[in-house]
Amino acid sequence: MTVAEYPGSARSMDAWIQRSNDESSRDSDSDIYTAYAGPVYVYAKGSCVDWGGSYAYGKYYKYHSHCD
């Protein structure tokens, strides 16, 4: 999930997750929201995951995390 710092103000938000190096597994949620985007899910047992999100104009991404 991507959570708004100040809920109530409508902003462009998104959240996404996927198994590392497997875009076909990607789940995302992107729209104009007042509180949060998501949740998003992916089955990734035994895999690393890539995930990220954005709020208004700020973006954050993490790659190859939560590896077994």
Side-chain angles (χ1 to χ4, degrees):
M1 289 179 63
T2 299
V3 180
E5 185 174 3
Y6 301 105
S9 230
R11 304 278 178 145
S12 174
M13 299 175 72
D14 81 311
W16 63 270
I17 191 167
Q18 70 182 45
R19 287 187 299 274
S20 293
N21 301 314
D22 182 6
E23 286 199 26
S24 69
S25 68
R26 188 179 186 111
D27 185 22
S28 63
D29 181 30
S30 178
D31 211 333
I32 305 297
Y33 293 113
T34 59
Y36 62 89
V40 291
Y41 303 94
V42 65
Y43 180 81
K45 184 176 182 179
S47 301
C48 300
V49 294
D50 302 338
W51 56 272
S54 66
Y55 173 72
Y57 301 104
K59 296 183 179 188
Y60 182 80
Y61 304 121
K62 181 76 174 175
Y63 297 99
H64 303 292
S65 62
H66 303 288
C67 298
D68 284 345

